[in-house]
Amino acid sequence: MKINPKESLLDERRSLLKILITLMVISSMAFGALAATTDTSGSISTTGSTSPASPAYTQVTVSDVTLDPGTFATGDKGTITVVVQNTGTQSVTIRRATLYDSNIALVSTTTYDSVGSIGAGNKMPFTFTVKADVPEGIYYPVFSLEFQDTGFLRYPVKAEVKNSPVVLSITDKPDTFVPGKKSVVTLSLSNLRTNAIKNVIVSPNTSDAEIIPQNIVINNLNPGQTVNLPFNITPKTPTDIEFTAVYLNGPNTHQVGLLLPVRFNNDKTQADPVISNIVSAPDGSNIRITGDVTNSGLQDAKSVTVAAGSPAIPVDPFKVYAVGLLKPDDFSSFELTVSPESPDTVPVIVSYKDQDGNVYTRSIAADISLAKTPKGNSTTSYVPWIIVGIIAIVVGLAIGYQYIRKKKP
Amino acid sequence: MRYVDNLVSMIQNIISVLIHPDEFFQEKIKSEENLKIPFLFVAIAGVIGAVYGYEIGSLTGRMFAAAGAGVGELVAVSSVVGAFIGVIAFWLIGSLIFFLLSIAFKGTGGFTRTLECVGYGFIPQIFGSLVTLIMALYYLPMVQVPVVRSFTDAAVLQNAVSGLMHDSAMLELTKVSVVIAAIFLLWSANIWIHAIRYSRNISIKHAAVTVLLPVIVYIIYTLFVTFAGFSALGGFK
């Protein structure tokens, strides 16, 4: 096949033309793209830009916003940190950065009046201290970045102010408190806020009770979380125990309190030894006191002992009578020996221990005056013995008479 | 008139037994054996003893009254029956002892005759029981009675009984009654000497030994236990 040289030249020219047209189309598309306005952050203002090519500051965007605390309470101070990033290939000079709002007050002492340049690909944080001395609500303080040459970046920051409480409450406590008896009181701490609180310290405040532990620390309490706080309380006297939970909401210290009234009353289920059937009688040269001790309570009475208290003078063999364990509705007899030198009324003391080893005592007065009465004292009368003597004489005469009569002739 | 005559005759017999026992048994031995009259004397002594037992039993009954319904009454009835039977038993056992001891002296009379004659010797016991009863009525109201609420604890029971026996009025009554019993027992012994002499046909000396030996031992024992308080023999101290 033979090729025509004219046709070959014509084909080459056509190809060059195609390439030229293609290049022109591509170039026009590229320039058109560069001339268009770009908004990558959604809040960047490109005011004053007239160049067909986008200026470098347009590549500066807000990459992160952090609020501490996450949710403010009315009156809380906190920080708002805005991180901007230069996503372009040229450094951008920032003249000033600020945050402003008509409600949320800026209390920062540090200003960003002359920031400087932010290099290509770099990030730069701007932290502002604010005070949310406002009612509950959602506020939008505006972060504003002013560039050196021209242009601004404005970014509204969402800040929520909410006074949802942290609640300290009593979950479990005994029906009654007993002096010296350890009782478990369980508190609960609930975080009803929408942000986590930190460094929570729950501590009781009283000197009239021994409380273990002295305080409970919770590092972090997430929103909606509740923790139980058990305290072992051994009260000495009736008192009001004030529990305080101190926590941090961001940098702000808050506290909630709870008053636990401790009033003494008889434990409805505790052991209740009752002394009854007390009888006193002479026992040789001493006086013996006998009786019964019955546990009319609902709990065991442990290590039960019965003794005659002062001013009685206990003597052997029963200075103290050890009963031991006395179960509910069980009873035991006891006996004590006291000196006749003791007063007419002596206290009979029963002591026992509960499950925790706390010692309790009960006392009842016993009258031993009758037992102290010297033998025959109350009944000393010589009349019966005189009668007996007369009878003896009469009998003697009756017997003697018959023998005397017999001897007579 | 017949009853009056019998009564007069019985009084004469009583006086005769008390004042002239020798003549009484000398004549009695000649008549038929008859246990009715001696039993009557013993029974009278037993009834008076039962009344005394009732008084003491009531006291014990009061002590146990709180321990359960009927316990006090049971104790009182037991005391009455025990006291009456005790006197009858005392008659029988005493007669048997005298009868057996007199065998050593070659006594020849029968046991029934011995029983009859010894029964007459209980006449002083009637007076003795009466005096003791009067003494009891004097002393018992002064006794402080312990209360026993349960029989489950032996120690408490023992303490309560001990407390009752150590009551000053009770102790006094015990001593007085023991002395009275000893006096009238000696009077009875005097009668029993003559009773054994004739019923067993032995000498007066042998009869005295037969009677006085057990009686003196018994009296010494009761006096010793009551006053010296030898607890091993059942004393109170």
Side-chain angles (χ1 to χ4, degrees):
Chain A
M1 186 176 173
K2 201 173 180 179
I3 301 170
N4 190 346
K6 283 184 178 178
E7 288 181 354
S8 175
L9 184 62
L10 188 62
D11 287 343
E12 284 180 0
R13 285 178 180 171
R14 284 175 183 165
S15 299
L16 283 171
L17 185 61
K18 284 179 183 177
I19 291 168
L20 187 62
I21 291 168
T22 305
L23 285 172
M24 285 175 70
V25 169
I26 292 171
S27 298
S28 66
M29 288 175 68
F31 281 120
L34 285 171
T37 300
T38 304
D39 189 355
T40 55
S41 64
S43 61
I44 294 175
S45 171
T46 56
T47 309
S49 176
T50 55
S51 173
S54 297
Y57 66 81
T58 58
Q59 303 302 310
V60 176
T61 60
V62 173
S63 64
D64 191 24
V65 175
T66 307
L67 284 81
D68 183 29
T71 303
F72 287 78
T74 299
D76 271 4
K77 283 183 179 177
T79 58
I80 298 175
T81 301
V82 181
V83 179
V84 297
Q85 184 178 13
N86 181 1
T87 57
T89 56
Q90 298 174 18
S91 68
V92 176
T93 303
I94 299 171
R95 179 186 295 173
R96 189 167 53 199
T98 187
L99 184 81
Y100 60 90
D101 186 82
S102 58
N103 299 303
I104 305 290
L106 185 66
V107 294
S108 293
T109 53
T110 305
T111 58
Y112 296 101
D113 290 338
S114 180
V115 178
S117 299
I118 176 170
N122 287 348
K123 289 183 178 178
M124 183 176 284
F126 297 92
T127 301
F128 304 92
T129 304
V130 296
K131 185 173 184 183
D133 216 354
V134 291
E136 284 188 336
I138 299 174
Y139 299 87
Y140 292 93
V142 177
F143 171 70
S144 174
L145 205 58
E146 184 181 343
F147 298 105
Q148 180 66 42
D149 299 327
T150 181
F152 298 91
L153 184 149
R154 290 191 178 85
Y155 188 88
V157 177
K158 180 187 176 187
E160 188 177 3
V161 178
K162 198 168 186 180
N163 295 323
S164 301
V166 173
V167 178
L168 186 63
S169 58
I170 299 170
T171 306
D172 189 26
K173 75 179 185 71
D175 291 339
T176 56
F177 288 93
V178 179
K181 184 181 181 183
K182 184 168 65 181
S183 304
V184 178
V185 173
T186 304
L187 307 182
S188 67
L189 185 68
S190 302
N191 181 9
L192 304 184
R193 296 187 60 76
T194 53
N195 63 306
I197 57 173
K198 296 183 177 180
N199 297 347
V200 184
I201 302 174
V202 182
S203 54
N205 180 23
T206 183
S207 59
D208 296 325
E210 183 182 328
I211 303 177
I212 301 295
Q214 291 181 336
N215 53 56
I216 295 176
V217 176
I218 304 157
N219 292 326
N220 188 69
L221 193 62
N222 291 321
Q225 187 182 357
T226 297
V227 289
N228 286 328
L229 313 166
F231 287 92
N232 292 319
I233 298 176
T234 310
K236 299 171 190 168
T237 56
T239 184
D240 290 331
I241 301 174
E242 184 181 4
F243 287 91
T244 307
V246 179
Y247 62 93
L248 289 179
N249 185 38
N252 305 282
T253 301
H254 291 261
Q255 72 174 44
V256 289
L258 174 69
L259 200 65
L260 174 68
V262 175
R263 300 289 177 266
F264 292 154
N265 206 341
N266 289 331
D267 186 348
K268 284 181 266 185
T269 62
Q270 72 178 358
D272 184 18
V274 176
I275 302 171
S276 61
N277 192 24
I278 289 184
V279 176
S280 60
D283 182 25
S285 60
N286 298 317
I287 294 169
R288 180 169 291 197
I289 303 170
T290 60
D292 297 334
V293 54
T294 306
N295 183 5
S296 60
L298 299 177
Q299 294 179 14
D300 289 352
K302 297 173 182 287
S303 307
V304 179
T305 59
V306 184
S310 179
I313 306 168
V315 293
D316 288 325
F318 294 110
K319 282 183 175 175
V320 177
Y321 194 91
V323 175
L325 173 66
L326 211 53
K327 291 186 172 296
D329 298 332
D330 202 359
F331 83 100
S332 171
S333 298
F334 68 85
E335 56 184 305
L336 302 168
T337 322
V338 297
S339 166
E341 306 298 322
S342 303
D344 287 351
T345 303
V346 299
V348 175
I349 299 169
V350 57
S351 70
Y352 64 99
K353 294 179 180 176
D354 65 5
Q355 309 278 359
D356 301 317
N358 297 307
V359 180
Y360 301 89
T361 57
R362 296 281 172 85
S363 178
I364 187 170
D367 184 4
I368 60 168
S369 57
L370 292 173
K372 286 173 68 178
T373 305
K375 288 175 188 175
N377 226 18
S378 62
T379 56
T380 297
S381 172
Y382 296 107
V383 175
W385 289 107
I386 291 170
I387 294 170
V388 169
I390 292 169
I391 289 169
I393 291 167
V394 169
V395 170
L397 288 174
I399 296 171
Y401 168 74
Q402 55 187 279
Y403 288 103
I404 291 167
R405 191 179 61 87
K406 246 184 177 181
K407 283 183 181 176
K408 286 182 181 175
Chain B
M1 287 298 291
R2 189 180 171 187
Y3 292 110
V4 175
D5 290 342
N6 287 338
L7 188 63
V8 170
S9 173
M10 185 171 285
I11 290 170
Q12 284 176 343
N13 279 342
I14 289 170
I15 292 170
S16 181
V17 168
L18 295 174
I19 308 297
H20 313 295
D22 189 56
E23 288 87 341
F24 176 80
F25 288 112
Q26 197 174 3
E27 290 299 317
K28 193 70 189 171
I29 203 76
K30 294 171 185 171
S31 62
E32 286 287 317
E33 292 175 353
N34 184 4
L35 289 175
K36 287 179 184 174
I37 302 298
F39 178 77
L40 180 66
F41 292 134
V42 174
I44 291 169
V47 168
I48 297 169
V51 174
Y52 175 76
Y54 175 78
E55 292 296 326
I56 299 293
S58 297
L59 207 67
T60 316
R62 270 163 53 198
M63 188 168 71
F64 295 123
V71 176
E73 289 77 0
L74 183 68
V75 171
V77 170
S78 302
S79 302
V80 169
V81 174
F84 184 79
I85 292 175
V87 174
I88 303 295
F90 192 76
W91 176 36
L92 297 173
I93 294 169
S95 301
L96 183 64
I97 289 170
F98 297 151
F99 183 82
L100 293 174
L101 286 176
S102 61
I103 291 174
F105 304 113
K106 298 177 181 175
T108 54
F111 181 69
T112 306
R113 178 66 76 183
T114 305
L115 206 59
E116 180 190 9
C117 292
V118 170
Y120 283 104
F122 271 79
I123 292 172
Q125 295 301 308
I126 294 172
F127 299 118
S129 297
L130 271 174
V131 174
T132 305
L133 179 62
I134 291 166
M135 291 296 177
L137 294 174
Y138 170 75
Y139 278 111
L140 289 182
M142 292 186 272
V143 175
Q144 299 288 334
V145 184
V147 177
V148 174
R149 298 189 187 280
S150 170
F151 291 113
T152 53
D153 195 325
V156 171
L157 204 62
Q158 188 180 354
N159 285 334
V161 174
S162 175
L164 177 65
M165 299 313 293
H166 281 95
D167 182 88
S168 55
M170 196 70 185
L171 280 174
E172 199 74 8
L173 172 62
T174 306
K175 289 173 183 175
V176 168
S177 59
V178 165
V179 171
I180 291 169
I183 291 168
F184 285 93
L185 197 59
L186 282 173
W187 196 356
S188 291
N190 176 60
I191 297 167
W192 288 334
I193 289 170
H194 299 286
I196 293 299
R197 178 189 175 188
Y198 291 103
S199 65
R200 295 290 287 159
N201 196 22
I202 57 177
S203 70
I204 185 77
K205 286 182 181 177
H206 289 163
V209 172
T210 300
V211 171
L212 291 178
L213 185 66
V215 168
I216 295 296
V217 168
Y218 177 77
I219 288 173
I220 289 172
Y221 167 76
T222 52
L223 290 175
F224 185 77
V225 165
T226 305
F227 288 93
F230 188 38
S231 59
L233 297 174
F236 301 123
K237 289 181 180 176

